[in-house]
Amino acid sequence: MVQFKTPLEIYKLLPRSNCRQCYLPSCLAFATAVLKGEKRLADCPCLPAETAALGDGGNGGRASMDRNMEEVFQRLQGEIAAIDLAGRASAVGGRMVEGRLAVTCLGKDFLVGPDGTVTSECHLNPWVTVPLLRYVLASTGVAPVGQWVSMRELADGPTWNPLFVQRCEAVLQRLADAQPHLFADLVGMFSGRRAAPVFDADIAIILAPLPKVPVLICHWRAEDDLESRLGIFFDRTADCHLGVELLHTLGVGMVTMFARIGHLHG
Ligand code: SF4
């Protein structure tokens, strides 16, 4: 659940057109109402469903957010049913297996059926399956170029970066600080690899939550009076495959899974 602290954080997610379709005089008034729990993000009809699914400012429940994501997932399933799945295999770095599209995410196969059904040996949740289906539908197929950028350097990244820092980087940093073997475990469990030295990080690993959307995770240990830091970087081409809000969603799904595993091992 996103815990918004100020109306500005919510306002940055809105179209800022002041169109009043939410029956409030401006987007800023709407943002204030969401923070107070008087409105939900989904009450703005101009927001993409993925953004609306972020929740209601911390005053609603996780169940309602998951329900919204489930609705988005069902809509994407309908779009999948209308495309030639085999025709997308090469673009998304997948392969056809008995009539289903196999896409390898974090080293595990996720099978997408012609009706949009997703199956995998992994636990499925819409924070992963929604980005997966959108990737199958919309990826341009461009290959990664090996240039790493932060979330805020991607198109529309500055809007999403504060949430990404809060929900992904800060969570993973706490986990890494508490569990020294975390990165070795992630490499082993999710077919990752150590990256060549980069950004002067103490540890850097590369994982592939989607075949053409690798992420670089860098960790800098605490030193003297400097606190530890953690950064998650995307290939410069990442927004050719997913909009930045779904890169955020994918990051949340990935980090949530790591946190669960860390909790079990811890
Ligand atoms: S409906 Fe959405 S875009 Fe229009 S004023 Fe309300 S919050 Fe802003």
Side-chain angles (χ1 to χ4, degrees):
M1 164 61 66
V2 179
Q3 297 287 330
F4 297 111
K5 294 191 180 72
T6 66
L8 197 58
E9 288 176 354
I10 301 167
Y11 179 71
K12 285 179 180 172
L13 301 175
L14 301 175
R16 290 170 250 173
S17 62
N18 298 326
C19 69
R20 302 185 178 190
Q21 290 184 67
C22 56
Y23 305 107
L24 288 175
S26 67
C27 291
L28 190 57
F30 179 83
T32 305
V34 171
L35 193 73
K36 288 180 182 167
E38 295 165 359
K39 289 270 188 187
R40 301 164 62 233
L41 276 177
D43 293 329
C44 168
C46 309
L47 276 183
E50 292 93 349
T51 308
L54 277 173
D56 44 17
N59 298 309
R62 167 95 203 182
S64 126
M65 187 167 57
D66 283 347
R67 235 182 355 261
N68 288 338
M69 287 298 283
E70 193 55 47
E71 285 167 17
V72 175
F73 177 65
Q74 286 170 10
R75 213 181 52 234
L76 291 175
Q77 284 185 304
E79 292 182 37
I80 289 282
I83 66 166
D84 168 21
L85 209 49
R88 295 293 295 151
S90 158
V92 302
R95 65 194 191 282
M96 294 306 289
V97 177
E98 298 175 354
R100 293 184 293 173
L101 174 61
V103 180
T104 307
C105 309
L106 294 172
K108 319 285 184 210
D109 276 350
F110 285 65
L111 295 162
V112 180
D115 58 355
T117 307
V118 180
T119 52
S120 171
E121 64 181 274
C122 292
H123 173 71
L124 294 174
N125 78 65
W127 297 90
V128 174
T129 53
V130 165
L132 170 64
L133 291 194
R134 178 59 76 197
Y135 171 76
V136 170
L137 287 162
S139 166
T140 62
V142 68
V145 294
Q147 293 173 14
W148 299 107
V149 296
S150 64
M151 163 71 75
R152 66 175 168 276
E153 292 172 88
L154 296 169
D156 286 337
T159 301
W160 284 88
N161 192 57
L163 284 177
F164 188 73
V165 169
Q166 178 190 338
R167 300 195 70 201
C168 297
E169 293 182 333
V171 174
L172 198 52
Q173 179 180 343
R174 285 195 291 274
L175 208 57
D177 289 347
Q179 302 194 11
H181 301 297
L182 176 74
F183 293 106
D185 289 349
L186 295 183
V187 165
M189 294 173 77
F190 297 112
S191 304
R193 61 188 164 89
R194 293 271 179 170
V198 59
F199 301 142
D200 279 333
D202 293 304
I203 301 173
I205 64 169
I206 295 174
L207 299 171
L210 290 167
K212 295 191 176 180
V213 186
V215 296
L216 170 73
I217 302 174
C218 291
H219 187 245
W220 295 265
R221 292 190 199 99
E223 203 177 332
D224 302 328
D225 51 353
L226 287 177
E227 292 185 356
S228 68
R229 287 184 296 133
L230 185 139
I232 302 176
F233 300 87
F234 295 92
D235 190 86
R236 187 169 57 72
T237 60
D239 48 11
C240 299
H241 303 284
L242 285 176
V244 75
E245 70 266 40
L246 280 183
L247 290 173
H248 167 272
T249 303
L250 186 65
V252 172
M254 193 173 70
V255 169
T256 302
M257 184 165 59
F258 297 164
R260 279 198 189 121
I261 290 168
H263 180 68
L264 290 177
H265 287 198

